[in-house]
């Protein structure tokens, strides 16, 4: 395996780790304005964001830090400004969710919930858009694969957040979350297929994915179909597990392009990467952060259902 491929493997894994761990939080912010009907239900949704201190953003920042070190041609260009914007959106999302946890009374208003949803939509779309732009060597940001990647990123988080809400909130809100997943499934599948195919066509021979691309695409489709069937059969817990597995294969396709295509169109400065990594926290700190992130993720999966006082206001 080439050194440049190895250098890009770890930041790609960090990006994927962030997206998997933070998808439910982003998705809850997206889905809440559509499924919650009053302040009590808004508060129930916001309680699912606890604890706000999960360390997931660390993996995104570490991945970006490593990528900026080994790709010096990102600096001093218009793309660098775009990527700073993306970092700001990721950090801003963490701050807003922290505020929502501590200032639940304020954030549970319909206006604030809609603002959270709009911010989440913008942040996820920009993340998918810019994450794809680095793979396409035409100097542009708004590309067809990028637009559909942004759409799929938002829809995928919406679906995982909706499924998580279906599992962790009592009815009737939980049932509305389940319905939101089912209704949005067609759009999510369509966005991902268009994204994957257009990216494959755009990159052409430079992306030597071979059979790996099609096997991962089939695995993604089968697991997503399982998630849909299980959720429709009122087994959202199993559906959530299948949805996470489907997302894993979907991102495996995406980040395989990172490690194989970027070295073909960008100079990978391995020396700068090694020098820069000497200045970051030691292995023990990163291991502790990984344990904390995983611990919070498992706690969220096995936490009790959120109950709330529901009244038929209509």
């Amino acid at each position: 395996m080439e050194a440049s491929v190895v250098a890009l493997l770890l930041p790609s894994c960090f990006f994927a780790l962030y997206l998997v761990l933070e998808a439910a939080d982003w998705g809850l912010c997206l889905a809440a304005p559509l499924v919650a009907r009053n302040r009590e239900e808004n508060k129930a949704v916001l309680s699912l964001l606890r604890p706000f201190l999960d360390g997931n953003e660390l993996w995104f920042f570490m991945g970006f830090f490593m990528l900026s070190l080994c790709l010096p041609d990102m600096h001093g260009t218009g793309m660098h400004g775009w990527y700073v914007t993306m970092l700001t959106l990721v950090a801003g999302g963490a701050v807003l969710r922290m505020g929502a946890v501590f200032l639940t009374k304020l954030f549970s208003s319909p206006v604030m919930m809609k603002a959270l949803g709009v911010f989440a939509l913008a942040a996820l779309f920009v993340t998918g858009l810019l994450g794809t732009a680095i793979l396409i060597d035409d100097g542009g940001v708004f590309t067809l694969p990028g637009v559909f990647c942004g759409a799929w990123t938002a829809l995928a988080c919406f679906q995982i957040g909706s499924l998580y809400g279906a599992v962790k909130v009592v009815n009737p809100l939980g049932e509305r979350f389940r319905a939101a997943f089912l209704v949005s499934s067609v759009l999510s599948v369509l966005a991902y297929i268009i994204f994957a195919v257009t990216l494959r066509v755009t990159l052409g021979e430079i992306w030597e994915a071979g059979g790996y691309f099609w096997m991962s695409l089939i695995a993604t489709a089968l697991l997503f179909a399982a998630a849909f069937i299980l959720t429709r059969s009122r087994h959202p817990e199993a559906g959530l597990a299948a949805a996470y597995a489907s997302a894993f294969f979907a991102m495996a396709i995406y980040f395989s392009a990172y490690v194989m295509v970027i070295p073909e169109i960008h100079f990978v400065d391995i020396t700068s990467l090694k020098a820069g990594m000497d200045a970051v926290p030691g292995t023990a700190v990163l291991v502790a952060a990984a344990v904390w992130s995983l611990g919070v993720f498992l706690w969220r999966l096995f936490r009790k259902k959120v109950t709330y006082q529901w009244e038929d206001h209509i």
Side-chain angles (χ1 to χ4, degrees), residues 21-107:
L21 295 178
E22 205 66 14
D25 283 357
W26 282 116
L28 287 169
C29 293
L30 285 172
L34 300 178
V35 300
R37 295 180 179 175
N38 52 60
R39 276 187 175 267
E40 289 81 6
E41 293 186 342
N42 286 340
K43 290 177 181 178
V45 175
L46 294 178
S47 69
L48 294 176
L49 300 177
R50 298 172 182 165
F52 77 94
L53 187 62
D54 51 26
N56 296 339
E57 285 74 21
L58 170 66
W59 307 117
F60 187 91
F61 296 143
M62 278 295 298
F64 182 84
F65 174 69
M66 295 178 68
L67 203 63
S68 64
L69 285 175
C70 63
L71 300 180
D73 56 357
M74 287 177 57
H75 302 280
T77 65
M79 286 299 299
H80 184 69
W82 277 105
Y83 287 120
V84 172
T85 300
M86 182 171 60
L87 285 174
T88 303
L89 290 172
V90 170
V95 172
L96 284 175
R97 289 191 294 274
M98 178 181 68
V101 169
F102 284 102
L103 303 172
T104 303
K105 185 175 181 180
L106 172 64
F107 277 80

Coordinates of all heavy atoms in Angstrom, one line a residue, residues 21-107:
L21 N -21.3 8.8 14.6 CA -21.6 9.1 16.0 C -22.5 10.3 16.1 O -23.3 10.4 17.1 CB -20.3 9.4 16.8 CG -19.4 8.2 16.9 CD1 -18.1 8.6 17.7 CD2 -20.1 7.0 17.6
E22 N -22.4 11.3 15.2 CA -23.2 12.5 15.3 C -24.5 12.6 14.5 O -25.2 13.5 14.6 CB -22.3 13.7 15.0 CG -22.7 15.0 15.6 CD -22.5 15.1 17.1 OE1 -21.9 14.2 17.7 OE2 -23.1 16.0 17.7
A23 N -24.7 11.5 13.7 CA -25.8 11.5 12.8 C -27.1 11.7 13.5 O -28.0 12.4 13.0 CB -25.8 10.3 11.9
A24 N -27.3 11.0 14.6 CA -28.6 11.0 15.3 C -28.9 12.4 15.9 O -30.0 12.9 15.8 CB -28.6 10.0 16.5
D25 N -27.9 13.1 16.4 CA -28.1 14.5 16.9 C -28.5 15.4 15.8 O -29.4 16.2 16.0 CB -26.8 15.0 17.6 CG -26.6 14.3 19.0 OD1 -27.5 13.6 19.4 OD2 -25.6 14.6 19.6
W26 N -27.7 15.4 14.7 CA -28.1 16.3 13.6 C -29.5 15.9 13.1 O -30.3 16.8 12.8 CB -27.1 16.1 12.4 CG -25.8 16.8 12.6 CD1 -24.6 16.2 12.7 CD2 -25.6 18.2 12.6 NE1 -23.6 17.2 12.8 CE2 -24.2 18.4 12.7 CE3 -26.4 19.3 12.5 CZ2 -23.6 19.7 12.7 CZ3 -25.8 20.6 12.5 CH2 -24.4 20.7 12.7
G27 N -29.8 14.6 13.0 CA -31.1 14.2 12.5 C -32.3 14.6 13.4 O -33.3 14.9 12.9
L28 N -32.1 14.5 14.7 CA -33.1 15.0 15.6 C -33.4 16.4 15.4 O -34.6 16.9 15.4 CB -32.7 14.7 17.0 CG -32.7 13.3 17.5 CD1 -32.0 13.1 18.8 CD2 -34.1 12.7 17.6
C29 N -32.4 17.3 15.2 CA -32.6 18.7 14.9 C -33.4 18.9 13.6 O -34.2 19.8 13.5 CB -31.3 19.4 14.9 SG -30.4 19.5 16.4
L30 N -33.1 18.1 12.6 CA -33.8 18.2 11.4 C -35.3 17.7 11.5 O -36.2 18.4 10.9 CB -33.1 17.3 10.3 CG -31.8 17.9 9.7 CD1 -31.2 16.8 8.8 CD2 -32.0 19.1 8.9
A31 N -35.5 16.6 12.2 CA -36.8 16.0 12.2 C -37.8 16.7 13.2 O -39.0 16.7 12.9 CB -36.7 14.5 12.5
A32 N -37.2 17.3 14.2 CA -38.1 17.8 15.3 C -39.2 18.8 14.8 O -40.3 18.7 15.2 CB -37.2 18.4 16.4
P33 N -38.8 19.8 14.0 CA -39.8 20.7 13.5 C -41.0 20.1 12.7 O -42.0 20.7 12.7 CB -39.0 21.7 12.7 CG -37.6 21.6 13.1 CD -37.5 20.2 13.5
L34 N -40.7 18.9 12.2 CA -41.7 18.2 11.4 C -42.6 17.3 12.1 O -43.7 17.0 11.7 CB -41.0 17.5 10.2 CG -40.2 18.3 9.3 CD1 -39.5 17.4 8.2 CD2 -41.0 19.4 8.6
V35 N -42.1 16.8 13.3 CA -42.8 15.7 14.0 C -43.4 16.2 15.3 O -44.4 15.7 15.8 CB -42.0 14.5 14.2 CG1 -41.6 13.9 12.8 CG2 -40.8 14.7 15.0
A36 N -42.7 17.2 16.0 CA -43.1 17.6 17.3 C -44.2 18.7 17.1 O -44.1 19.6 16.3 CB -42.0 18.2 18.1
R37 N -45.2 18.6 18.0 CA -46.4 19.5 17.8 C -46.6 20.5 18.9 O -47.5 21.4 18.8 CB -47.7 18.7 17.6 CG -47.7 17.8 16.4 CD -48.9 17.0 16.3 NE -49.0 16.2 15.0 CZ -49.9 15.4 14.7 NH1 -50.9 15.2 15.6 NH2 -49.8 14.7 13.6
N38 N -45.8 20.4 20.0 CA -46.0 21.4 21.1 C -44.7 21.4 21.9 O -43.7 20.7 21.6 CB -47.2 21.0 22.0 CG -47.1 19.5 22.4 OD1 -46.2 19.1 23.1 ND2 -48.1 18.8 22.0
R39 N -44.6 22.3 22.9 CA -43.4 22.4 23.7 C -43.0 21.2 24.4 O -41.9 20.9 24.6 CB -43.6 23.6 24.7 CG -43.3 25.0 24.1 CD -43.3 26.0 25.2 NE -42.9 27.3 24.7 CZ -41.7 27.8 24.7 NH1 -40.7 27.1 25.2 NH2 -41.4 29.0 24.2
E40 N -44.0 20.5 24.9 CA -43.7 19.2 25.6 C -43.0 18.2 24.7 O -42.0 17.6 25.2 CB -45.0 18.6 26.2 CG -45.7 19.3 27.3 CD -46.5 20.5 26.8 OE1 -46.7 20.6 25.6 OE2 -47.0 21.3 27.7
E41 N -43.4 18.1 23.5 CA -42.8 17.2 22.6 C -41.4 17.8 22.2 O -40.4 17.0 22.0 CB -43.7 17.0 21.4 CG -44.9 16.2 21.7 CD -45.7 15.8 20.5 OE1 -45.6 16.4 19.4 OE2 -46.6 14.9 20.7
N42 N -41.3 19.1 22.0 CA -40.0 19.7 21.7 C -39.0 19.4 22.8 O -37.8 19.1 22.6 CB -40.1 21.2 21.5 CG -40.8 21.5 20.2 OD1 -40.8 20.7 19.3 ND2 -41.3 22.7 20.1
K43 N -39.4 19.5 24.0 CA -38.5 19.2 25.2 C -38.1 17.8 25.2 O -37.0 17.4 25.6 CB -39.2 19.6 26.5 CG -39.4 21.1 26.7 CD -40.2 21.4 28.0 CE -40.4 22.9 28.2 NZ -41.1 23.2 29.4
A44 N -39.0 16.9 24.8 CA -38.7 15.5 24.8 C -37.6 15.2 23.8 O -36.7 14.4 24.0 CB -39.9 14.6 24.5
V45 N -37.7 15.9 22.6 CA -36.7 15.7 21.6 C -35.4 16.3 22.0 O -34.3 15.6 21.9 CB -37.1 16.4 20.3 CG1 -36.0 16.3 19.2 CG2 -38.4 15.8 19.7
L46 N -35.4 17.4 22.6 CA -34.1 18.0 23.1 C -33.4 17.2 24.2 O -32.2 17.2 24.3 CB -34.4 19.5 23.6 CG -34.9 20.5 22.5 CD1 -35.1 21.8 23.2 CD2 -33.8 20.6 21.4
S47 N -34.2 16.5 25.0 CA -33.6 15.7 26.0 C -32.8 14.5 25.4 O -31.9 14.0 26.1 CB -34.7 15.1 26.9 OG -35.5 14.2 26.3
L48 N -33.1 14.2 24.2 CA -32.3 13.1 23.5 C -30.9 13.6 23.1 O -30.1 12.7 22.7 CB -33.1 12.6 22.3 CG -34.4 11.9 22.5 CD1 -35.1 11.5 21.2 CD2 -34.2 10.6 23.4
L49 N -30.7 14.9 23.1 CA -29.4 15.4 22.8 C -28.3 15.2 23.9 O -27.2 15.5 23.7 CB -29.4 16.9 22.4 CG -30.3 17.2 21.2 CD1 -30.4 18.7 20.9 CD2 -29.8 16.5 19.9
R50 N -28.8 14.9 25.1 CA -27.9 14.7 26.2 C -27.1 13.5 26.1 O -27.5 12.5 25.6 CB -28.7 14.6 27.5 CG -29.5 15.9 27.8 CD -30.4 15.6 29.0 NE -31.3 16.8 29.3 CZ -32.3 16.8 30.1 NH1 -32.7 15.7 30.6 NH2 -33.0 17.9 30.2
P51 N -25.8 13.4 26.6 CA -25.1 14.6 27.1 C -24.5 15.3 26.0 O -24.1 14.7 25.0 CB -24.0 14.0 28.0 CG -23.7 12.7 27.3 CD -25.0 12.2 26.8
F52 N -24.5 16.7 26.0 CA -23.9 17.4 24.9 C -22.4 17.2 24.7 O -21.9 17.3 23.6 CB -24.2 18.9 25.1 CG -23.2 19.6 26.1 CD1 -22.1 20.2 25.7 CD2 -23.5 19.5 27.5 CE1 -21.2 20.7 26.6 CE2 -22.6 20.1 28.4 CZ -21.5 20.7 27.9
L53 N -21.7 16.8 25.8 CA -20.3 16.7 25.7 C -20.0 15.2 25.4 O -19.8 14.4 26.2 CB -19.6 17.0 27.1 CG -18.1 17.0 27.1 CD1 -17.5 18.1 26.2 CD2 -17.6 17.3 28.5
D54 N -19.9 14.9 24.1 CA -19.7 13.6 23.6 C -18.4 13.4 22.9 O -18.0 12.3 22.6 CB -20.8 13.1 22.7 CG -21.1 14.1 21.6 OD1 -20.2 14.8 21.2 OD2 -22.3 14.1 21.1
G55 N -17.7 14.5 22.6 CA -16.3 14.4 22.0 C -16.3 14.0 20.6 O -15.3 13.9 20.0
N56 N -17.5 14.0 19.9 CA -17.5 13.6 18.5 C -16.9 14.6 17.6 O -16.3 14.2 16.6 CB -19.0 13.3 18.1 CG -19.6 12.2 18.9 OD1 -18.9 11.3 19.4 ND2 -20.9 12.1 18.9
E57 N -17.0 15.9 17.9 CA -16.4 16.9 17.1 C -14.9 16.8 17.0 O -14.3 17.2 16.0 CB -16.8 18.3 17.6 CG -18.2 18.7 17.2 CD -19.3 18.0 18.1 OE1 -18.9 17.5 19.2 OE2 -20.4 18.0 17.7
L58 N -14.3 16.2 18.0 CA -12.9 16.0 18.0 C -12.4 15.2 16.8 O -11.4 15.6 16.2 CB -12.4 15.3 19.3 CG -11.0 14.8 19.4 CD1 -10.0 16.0 19.4 CD2 -10.7 13.9 20.6
W59 N -13.2 14.2 16.4 CA -12.8 13.4 15.3 C -12.9 14.1 14.0 O -12.0 14.0 13.1 CB -13.6 12.1 15.3 CG -13.6 11.4 16.6 CD1 -14.7 11.2 17.4 CD2 -12.5 10.9 17.3 NE1 -14.3 10.5 18.6 CE2 -12.9 10.3 18.5 CE3 -11.1 10.8 17.0 CZ2 -12.1 9.7 19.4 CZ3 -10.3 10.2 17.9 CH2 -10.7 9.7 19.1
F60 N -13.8 15.0 13.9 CA -13.9 15.8 12.7 C -12.8 16.8 12.6 O -12.1 16.9 11.6 CB -15.3 16.6 12.6 CG -15.5 17.3 11.3 CD1 -16.2 16.7 10.3 CD2 -15.0 18.6 11.2 CE1 -16.4 17.3 9.1 CE2 -15.2 19.3 10.0 CZ -15.9 18.6 8.9
F61 N -12.5 17.4 13.7 CA -11.4 18.4 13.7 C -10.0 17.7 13.5 O -9.2 18.3 12.8 CB -11.4 19.2 15.0 CG -12.6 20.0 15.2 CD1 -13.2 20.2 16.5 CD2 -13.2 20.7 14.2 CE1 -14.3 21.0 16.7 CE2 -14.3 21.5 14.3 CZ -14.9 21.6 15.6
M62 N -9.9 16.5 14.1 CA -8.6 15.8 13.9 C -8.5 15.4 12.4 O -7.4 15.5 11.8 CB -8.6 14.6 14.8 CG -8.1 14.9 16.2 SD -6.4 15.5 16.3 CE -5.5 14.1 15.7
G63 N -9.5 14.9 11.8 CA -9.5 14.6 10.4 C -9.2 15.7 9.5 O -8.3 15.6 8.6
F64 N -9.8 16.9 9.8 CA -9.5 18.1 9.0 C -8.1 18.6 9.2 O -7.4 19.0 8.3 CB -10.5 19.2 9.4 CG -10.3 20.4 8.5 CD1 -10.9 20.5 7.3 CD2 -9.5 21.5 9.0 CE1 -10.7 21.7 6.5 CE2 -9.3 22.6 8.2 CZ -9.9 22.7 7.0
F65 N -7.6 18.5 10.5 CA -6.2 18.9 10.8 C -5.2 18.1 10.0 O -4.3 18.6 9.4 CB -6.0 18.8 12.3 CG -4.6 19.1 12.7 CD1 -4.1 20.4 12.6 CD2 -3.8 18.1 13.2 CE1 -2.7 20.6 13.0 CE2 -2.5 18.3 13.6 CZ -2.0 19.6 13.5
M66 N -5.4 16.8 10.0 CA -4.5 15.9 9.3 C -4.6 16.1 7.8 O -3.5 16.1 7.1 CB -4.8 14.4 9.7 CG -4.6 14.1 11.1 SD -5.0 12.3 11.5 CE -3.7 11.5 10.6
L67 N -5.8 16.3 7.3 CA -5.9 16.5 5.9 C -5.3 17.8 5.4 O -4.6 17.9 4.4 CB -7.4 16.6 5.5 CG -7.8 16.2 4.1 CD1 -7.4 14.8 3.7 CD2 -9.3 16.4 3.9
S68 N -5.4 18.9 6.2 CA -4.8 20.2 5.9 C -3.3 20.1 5.9 O -2.6 20.8 5.2 CB -5.3 21.3 6.8 OG -4.9 21.0 8.1
L69 N -2.7 19.2 6.8 CA -1.3 19.1 6.9 C -0.7 18.4 5.7 O 0.3 18.8 5.1 CB -0.9 18.3 8.1 CG -1.0 19.0 9.5 CD1 -0.7 18.0 10.6 CD2 0.0 20.1 9.6
C70 N -1.4 17.3 5.2 CA -0.8 16.5 4.1 C -1.3 17.0 2.8 O -0.8 16.5 1.7 CB -1.2 15.1 4.3 SG -2.9 14.7 4.2
L71 N -2.2 18.0 2.7 CA -2.6 18.6 1.4 C -2.3 20.1 1.4 O -3.2 21.0 1.6 CB -4.0 18.4 1.1 CG -4.5 16.9 1.1 CD1 -6.0 16.9 0.8 CD2 -3.7 16.2 0.0
P72 N -1.0 20.5 1.3 CA -0.6 21.9 1.4 C -1.3 22.8 0.3 O -1.4 24.0 0.5 CB 0.9 21.9 1.2 CG 1.2 20.6 0.5 CD 0.2 19.7 1.0
D73 N -1.7 22.2 -0.8 CA -2.3 23.1 -1.8 C -3.7 23.6 -1.5 O -4.3 24.3 -2.2 CB -2.3 22.3 -3.2 CG -3.1 21.0 -3.1 OD1 -3.5 20.6 -2.0 OD2 -3.2 20.4 -4.2
M74 N -4.2 23.1 -0.3 CA -5.5 23.6 0.2 C -5.3 25.1 0.7 O -6.3 25.8 0.7 CB -6.1 22.8 1.3 CG -6.6 21.4 0.8 SD -7.1 20.4 2.2 CE -8.3 21.5 3.0
H75 N -4.1 25.4 1.1 CA -3.9 26.7 1.8 C -3.7 27.8 0.7 O -3.2 27.6 -0.4 CB -2.7 26.7 2.6 CG -2.7 25.6 3.7 ND1 -3.4 25.9 4.9 CD2 -2.2 24.4 3.8 CE1 -3.3 24.8 5.7 NE2 -2.6 23.9 5.0
G76 N -4.2 29.0 1.0 CA -4.0 30.1 0.1 C -4.9 30.1 -1.1 O -4.7 30.8 -2.1
T77 N -6.0 29.2 -1.1 CA -6.9 29.2 -2.2 C -8.3 29.5 -1.7 O -8.6 29.6 -0.5 CB -6.9 27.8 -2.8 OG1 -7.4 26.8 -1.9 CG2 -5.5 27.4 -3.3
G78 N -9.2 29.6 -2.6 CA -10.6 29.9 -2.3 C -11.2 28.7 -1.5 O -12.1 28.9 -0.7
M79 N -10.8 27.5 -1.8 CA -11.3 26.3 -1.1 C -11.0 26.4 0.3 O -11.8 25.9 1.1 CB -10.7 25.1 -1.8 CG -11.2 24.7 -3.1 SD -13.0 24.4 -3.1 CE -13.1 23.0 -2.0
H80 N -9.9 27.0 0.7 CA -9.5 27.0 2.2 C -10.6 27.8 2.9 O -11.0 27.4 4.0 CB -8.2 27.7 2.4 CG -7.7 27.7 3.8 ND1 -7.4 26.5 4.5 CD2 -7.6 28.7 4.7 CE1 -7.0 26.8 5.7 NE2 -7.2 28.1 5.9
G81 N -11.1 28.9 2.3 CA -12.2 29.6 3.0 C -13.4 28.8 3.1 O -14.1 28.9 4.2
W82 N -13.7 28.0 2.1 CA -14.9 27.2 2.2 C -14.8 26.2 3.3 O -15.7 25.9 4.1 CB -15.1 26.4 0.9 CG -15.8 27.2 -0.2 CD1 -15.3 27.9 -1.3 CD2 -17.3 27.5 -0.2 NE1 -16.3 28.5 -2.0 CE2 -17.5 28.3 -1.4 CE3 -18.3 27.2 0.6 CZ2 -18.7 28.7 -1.7 CZ3 -19.6 27.6 0.3 CH2 -19.8 28.4 -0.9
Y83 N -13.6 25.6 3.5 CA -13.4 24.6 4.5 C -13.4 25.2 5.9 O -13.9 24.5 6.9 CB -12.1 23.8 4.2 CG -12.2 22.9 3.1 CD1 -11.4 23.0 2.0 CD2 -13.2 21.9 3.1 CE1 -11.5 22.1 0.9 CE2 -13.4 21.0 2.0 CZ -12.5 21.2 0.9 OH -12.7 20.3 -0.2
V84 N -12.9 26.4 6.0 CA -13.1 27.1 7.3 C -14.6 27.3 7.7 O -15.0 27.2 8.8 CB -12.3 28.5 7.3 CG1 -12.6 29.3 8.6 CG2 -10.8 28.2 7.2
T85 N -15.4 27.6 6.6 CA -16.8 27.7 6.8 C -17.4 26.4 7.3 O -18.3 26.4 8.2 CB -17.5 28.2 5.5 OG1 -16.9 29.4 5.1 CG2 -19.0 28.3 5.7
M86 N -17.0 25.3 6.7 CA -17.5 24.0 7.1 C -17.1 23.7 8.6 O -18.0 23.3 9.4 CB -16.9 22.9 6.2 CG -17.4 21.5 6.6 SD -16.9 20.3 5.3 CE -15.1 20.4 5.4
L87 N -15.9 24.0 9.0 CA -15.5 23.9 10.4 C -16.3 24.7 11.3 O -16.7 24.3 12.4 CB -14.0 24.2 10.6 CG -13.0 23.3 10.0 CD1 -11.6 23.9 10.1 CD2 -13.0 21.9 10.8
T88 N -16.6 25.9 10.9 CA -17.4 26.8 11.7 C -18.8 26.3 11.9 O -19.4 26.3 13.0 CB -17.5 28.2 11.1 OG1 -16.2 28.7 10.9 CG2 -18.3 29.2 11.9
L89 N -19.4 25.7 10.9 CA -20.7 25.1 11.0 C -20.8 23.9 11.9 O -21.7 23.7 12.7 CB -21.2 24.7 9.6 CG -21.6 25.9 8.6 CD1 -21.8 25.3 7.2 CD2 -22.8 26.6 9.1
V90 N -19.7 23.1 11.8 CA -19.7 21.9 12.7 C -19.5 22.4 14.2 O -20.3 21.8 15.0 CB -18.5 21.0 12.3 CG1 -18.2 19.9 13.4 CG2 -18.7 20.3 11.0
A91 N -18.7 23.3 14.4 CA -18.5 23.8 15.8 C -19.8 24.5 16.2 O -20.2 24.4 17.4 CB -17.3 24.8 15.8
G92 N -20.4 25.3 15.3 CA -21.6 26.0 15.7 C -22.8 25.0 16.0 O -23.5 25.3 16.9
G93 N -22.8 23.9 15.3 CA -23.8 22.9 15.7 C -23.6 22.4 17.1 O -24.6 22.2 17.8
A94 N -22.4 22.1 17.5 CA -22.1 21.6 18.8 C -22.5 22.7 19.9 O -23.1 22.3 20.9 CB -20.6 21.3 18.9
V95 N -22.3 23.9 19.6 CA -22.6 25.0 20.5 C -24.1 25.1 20.7 O -24.7 25.3 21.8 CB -22.0 26.4 20.1 CG1 -22.5 27.5 21.0 CG2 -20.5 26.3 20.2
L96 N -24.8 25.1 19.5 CA -26.3 25.2 19.6 C -26.9 24.0 20.3 O -27.9 24.2 21.1 CB -26.8 25.2 18.1 CG -26.7 26.6 17.4 CD1 -27.2 26.5 16.0 CD2 -27.4 27.7 18.1
R97 N -26.4 22.8 20.1 CA -27.0 21.6 20.8 C -26.7 21.7 22.3 O -27.5 21.3 23.1 CB -26.4 20.3 20.2 CG -27.0 20.1 18.8 CD -26.7 18.7 18.3 NE -25.3 18.5 18.1 CZ -24.6 18.8 17.0 NH1 -25.3 19.3 16.0 NH2 -23.3 18.5 16.8
M98 N -25.5 22.2 22.6 CA -25.2 22.5 24.1 C -26.2 23.4 24.7 O -26.7 23.2 25.8 CB -23.8 23.0 24.2 CG -23.4 23.3 25.7 SD -21.7 23.9 25.8 CE -21.9 25.5 25.0
G99 N -26.5 24.5 23.9 CA -27.4 25.5 24.4 C -28.8 24.9 24.6 O -29.6 25.1 25.5
A100 N -29.2 24.0 23.7 CA -30.5 23.3 23.7 C -30.6 22.4 24.9 O -31.7 22.3 25.5 CB -30.7 22.5 22.4
V101 N -29.5 21.8 25.4 CA -29.5 20.9 26.5 C -29.7 21.7 27.8 O -30.5 21.4 28.7 CB -28.3 20.1 26.6 CG1 -28.1 19.4 27.9 CG2 -28.3 19.1 25.4
F102 N -29.0 22.9 27.9 CA -29.0 23.7 29.1 C -30.1 24.7 29.2 O -30.6 25.1 30.3 CB -27.6 24.4 29.3 CG -26.5 23.5 29.8 CD1 -25.6 23.0 28.9 CD2 -26.5 23.0 31.1 CE1 -24.6 22.2 29.3 CE2 -25.5 22.2 31.5 CZ -24.5 21.7 30.6
L103 N -30.6 25.1 28.0 CA -31.6 26.1 28.0 C -32.8 25.6 27.2 O -33.3 26.1 26.3 CB -31.1 27.4 27.2 CG -29.8 28.0 27.8 CD1 -29.3 29.1 26.9 CD2 -30.1 28.6 29.2
T104 N -33.3 24.5 27.8 CA -34.4 23.7 27.1 C -35.6 24.6 27.0 O -36.3 24.5 25.9 CB -34.7 22.4 27.9 OG1 -33.5 21.6 28.0 CG2 -35.8 21.6 27.2
K105 N -35.9 25.4 28.0 CA -37.2 26.2 28.0 C -37.1 27.2 26.8 O -38.1 27.4 26.1 CB -37.3 26.9 29.3 CG -38.6 27.7 29.4 CD -38.8 28.3 30.7 CE -40.1 29.1 30.8 NZ -40.3 29.7 32.2
L106 N -36.0 27.8 26.6 CA -35.8 28.7 25.5 C -35.8 28.0 24.1 O -36.6 28.4 23.2 CB -34.5 29.5 25.6 CG -34.1 30.4 24.5 CD1 -35.1 31.5 24.3 CD2 -32.7 31.0 24.7
F107 N -35.1 26.9 24.0 CA -34.9 26.3 22.7 C -36.2 25.5 22.3 O -36.3 25.1 21.2 CB -33.7 25.4 22.7 CG -32.4 26.1 22.4 CD1 -31.8 26.9 23.4 CD2 -31.9 26.1 21.1 CE1 -30.6 27.5 23.1 CE2 -30.7 26.8 20.8 CZ -30.1 27.5 21.8

